Amino acid sequence: MKKILSCLSCMLLLFSILTACSSDVETRELVWNENGYESLLQAEEFEKIQKLSGSILSETRTIIRSSNLDITVEKENIHFKLAYKSYMVNPLKLEDLEQELPRAEYAWNIPVLTDNGHFIVSCRLNRKLNTNSKGLLTDSSLRIIANQEVRWQTSLSYYYPNASKLPTEILDDALINTNFDQRVHKIFFGDCNKMRGLYSLVLQDKKPVYMVPIKDFSVSGIEKISGDMKSAGDFIDGQRYTYKDFAERINRVKEHKHVFPYGGEPGLITNPTRPKFLEGIKPEGIVLLVIIAAFVLTTGGLLIYQKVKDRVR
């Protein structure tokens, strides 16, 4: 009986820890600046990313050398205030964007501005392990990786020689002559299973109203659309579309099964692949079901063991 009570205590403790973790993710709020964008300067990771200035310059100088550019960059060319966040997730799969986005993987894109164009350096958390790697590692290797510190690091860098405007400026230009009665939020998204390039959604009162392609936006799987439907691939960068039109056209496209679902590597925590009978259940609900199942199986096993042991006596 003592073993059973001890098991029960452990399960309750585990449940309280997991509940606290899930509630912390749920209540974490996105911080917006006066222009409707998420603010790096007010984000909790700002100090850590600011310390990457040397790495940001190194990434930029690597492009300069490899492209034989006559450009010099220093710390003053880095503009953290103009940084924009991009999520690696299909927004059409999120029921509540602002509630679920805190669980999605993202990058902070840092502009490095010069007189001869601008550079964008992306900073992401160094996810040491993704779901596709687990089956290739031993238990001891998994433990080592799990104990490694997760840090921010530079991941990708781009050079736009003739670009005079940043993505935020392109989006703001597309929203000219729109009359919003309430404050709006502007969110950028990167590659996901149906869409490529950089694009944005504009939310009013937490509801998406516009979509604006920003850079190299394209739709994968266009050939799957039947001929009598309007092509989903004729979106033009820098133009404004209603969210309804955008969603209807993208939803006609069949997902590719042979590529990773979210831009090259699993990035979304909010909507992992799950059995159909679990659809509609929130992640914390699934955690609770797993805990209950584990508790029932463990307790049942101990009771059976105790009964067998008593009979042997």
Side-chain angles (χ1 to χ4, degrees):
M1 180 58 72
K2 288 182 179 180
K3 290 182 178 179
I4 295 175
L5 291 175
S6 175
C7 177
L8 176 60
S9 300
C10 291
M11 295 302 295
L12 289 174
L13 177 61
L14 177 61
F15 172 71
S16 63
I17 292 172
L18 289 172
T19 302
C21 291
S22 63
S23 62
D24 176 64
V25 172
E26 262 197 358
T27 55
R28 187 174 29 159
E29 295 182 358
L30 306 181
V31 182
W32 309 90
N33 62 25
E34 64 278 5
N35 296 319
Y37 296 99
E38 286 190 70
S39 170
L40 174 59
L41 300 187
Q42 295 174 274
E44 60 181 18
E45 59 262 39
F46 173 55
E47 290 186 7
K48 295 177 182 178
I49 292 180
Q50 191 177 33
K51 291 178 181 179
L52 295 176
S53 295
S55 182
I56 291 171
L57 288 177
S58 178
E59 290 273 359
T60 305
R61 289 166 180 161
T62 296
I63 295 181
I64 292 174
R65 287 195 299 271
S66 62
S67 303
N68 295 318
L69 301 173
D70 186 18
I71 300 176
T72 301
V73 292
E74 302 296 341
K75 278 191 176 182
E76 52 267 27
N77 295 104
I78 303 174
H79 291 263
F80 291 107
K81 185 178 181 180
L82 300 177
Y84 58 95
K85 194 188 224 181
S86 58
Y87 290 93
M88 277 65 74
V89 52
N90 185 344
L92 301 179
K93 290 192 173 184
L94 304 184
E95 294 181 4
D96 188 324
L97 280 169
E98 292 194 18
Q99 181 180 343
E100 297 184 75
L101 279 181
R103 295 178 180 174
E105 189 156 338
Y106 61 89
W108 280 106
N109 304 285
I110 316 299
V112 181
L113 305 183
T114 74
D115 293 334
N116 298 307
H118 64 256
F119 300 84
I120 298 293
V121 179
S122 294
C123 298
R124 294 178 63 181
L125 284 173
N126 62 333
R127 304 289 185 186
K128 295 292 183 182
L129 184 67
N130 62 42
T131 53
N132 294 315
S133 304
K134 290 184 179 179
L136 305 177
L137 301 174
T138 63
D139 290 341
S140 59
S141 298
L142 287 172
R143 284 194 293 272
I144 293 172
I145 292 174
N147 291 329
Q148 289 183 348
E149 183 182 359
V150 178
R151 299 184 227 173
W152 283 92
Q153 64 180 20
T154 55
S155 59
L156 297 170
S157 52
Y158 309 91
Y159 174 51
Y160 301 98
N162 300 315
S164 58
K165 294 182 179 180
L166 295 172
T168 49
E169 296 172 308
I170 295 173
L171 176 54
D172 287 337
D173 285 348
L175 297 178
I176 293 176
N177 299 324
T178 55
N179 296 318
F180 291 109
D181 296 329
Q182 301 173 359
R183 182 184 173 114
V184 299
H185 291 161
K186 307 164 187 175
I187 306 172
F188 291 103
F189 294 89
D191 293 346
C192 71
N193 48 357
K194 290 186 180 181
M195 294 161 279
R196 295 291 178 264
L198 183 67
Y199 58 103
S200 62
L201 294 184
V202 180
L203 279 63
Q204 180 181 15
D205 194 24
K206 298 186 178 181
K207 295 180 181 179
V209 289
Y210 291 119
M211 175 270 189
V212 178
I214 301 298
K215 181 71 177 174
D216 298 328
F217 181 76
S218 63
V219 181
S220 60
I222 297 171
E223 68 281 357
K224 304 292 184 181
I225 305 173
S226 60
D228 58 343
M229 291 183 177
K230 184 178 180 181
S231 171
D234 59 355
F235 292 104
I236 299 174
D237 288 351
Q239 289 197 15
R240 183 177 73 238
Y241 301 86
T242 66
Y243 177 76
K244 182 180 179 181
D245 178 41
F246 165 69
E248 287 178 351
R249 292 161 67 181
I250 297 299
N251 283 332
R252 296 176 190 148
V253 180
K254 197 169 184 178
E255 292 184 12
H256 283 258
K257 301 299 181 182
H258 62 279
V259 295
F260 286 124
Y262 303 107
E265 66 176 273
L268 178 65
I269 303 172
T270 311
N271 285 298
T273 302
R274 60 181 69 174
K276 285 192 174 182
F277 71 89
L278 291 177
E279 288 181 359
I281 301 177
K282 291 186 176 181
E284 56 268 29
I286 295 176
V287 171
L288 178 58
L289 288 175
V290 171
I291 292 174
I292 292 173
F295 172 71
V296 170
L297 291 173
T298 304
T299 305
L302 287 173
L303 286 172
I304 293 172
Y305 170 77
Q306 191 67 41
K307 285 184 179 180
V308 173
K309 188 175 180 181
D310 290 341
R311 286 178 182 176
V312 173
R313 286 179 182 175

